[in-house]
Amino acid sequence: NAGVTQTPKFQVLKTGQSMTLQCAQDMNHNSMYWYRQDPGMGLRLIYYSASEGTTDKGEVPNGYNVSRLNKREFSLRLESAAPSQTSVYFCASRQQVFSNQPQHFGDGTRLSIL
Amino acid sequence: QQQVKQSPQSLIVQKGGISIINCAYENTAFDYFPWYQQFPGKGPALLIAIRPDVSEKKEGRFTISFNKSAKQFSLHIMDSQPGDSATYFCAASTNSGAGSYQLTFGKGTKLSVIP
């Protein structure tokens, strides 16, 4: 049982390039999340999808777009990458959107933008 | 902006000692307080969680103490082991109002347990 799978694990981009980070979960969870983790900043929510067909902004959505492709997959797109978007990106899923449900995280995508 | 303030930023504890990490929150609507453990190169994993209707929850060597009136909660790791060396994040969430359904994380505490 893989849980939450993120691809790629590492990526280096040049400023202005675009890319899509992929996330898939096999736990039949309804809610999915994208976070970024920066040193000394904890995890900050970028976007989330409470259920298939819905997406909402989190704390730091600027410069990102998301697509909930189906119940399993939730992608994060950087249209024009900037050095400030250098970070580790984590995808997470949760059975339901309600607060007392644990979130399950993938192992992250380490993204460097030069 | 909802905040969860976590301290200390880093902690060094001798093997067998007690590790204590503290968090404070502002939003009284928070109703779920989980702690996550993260090893290098891995994603965070849920360690233990508490609801505000109890003052303490214990799972093995890990205990959450919760003080609703002070809006504070803490993680205690008893008999700390080198394998506990990781970064720990407190978090909080609510089902109502601004930021509902979202986890708000503290900035993390890097714990090192030395032999």
Side-chain angles (χ1 to χ4, degrees), chain A residues 33 35 37 40-45 48 57-59 90 94 97-108 110, chain B residues 1 9 31-32 36 38 40-46 51 87 89 93-95 100-108:
Chain A
Y33 305 79
Y35 294 88
Q37 184 176 33
M41 296 295 292
L43 290 100
R44 293 181 291 170
L45 183 65
Y48 71 102
K57 294 178 180 179
E59 181 184 353
F90 287 99
R94 181 152 76 173
V97 74
F98 306 114
S99 67
N100 63 350
Q101 298 281 324
Q103 290 192 14
H104 299 263
F105 286 80
D107 285 338
R110 286 146 185 82
Chain B
Q1 181 71 298
Q9 189 172 355
D31 59 4
Y32 177 67
Y36 282 80
Q38 184 181 29
K42 296 294 185 181
L46 179 66
R51 299 294 298 269
T87 300
F89 294 95
S93 66
T94 176
N95 278 332
S100 57
Y101 312 137
Q102 301 175 27
L103 270 178
T104 300
F105 284 87
K107 294 185 177 181

Side-chain angles (χ1 to χ4, degrees), chain B residues 17-60:
Chain B
I18 302 173
S19 304
I20 302 174
I21 304 170
N22 300 299
C23 286
Y25 63 96
E26 299 171 358
N27 185 356
T28 55
F30 284 146
D31 59 4
Y32 177 67
F33 301 88
W35 284 88
Y36 282 80
Q37 180 187 55
Q38 184 181 29
F39 293 105
K42 296 294 185 181
L46 179 66
L47 183 64
I48 187 173
I50 197 168
R51 299 294 298 269
D53 52 348
V54 298
S55 60
E56 185 175 283
K57 183 173 182 180
K58 184 176 182 180
E59 290 186 1

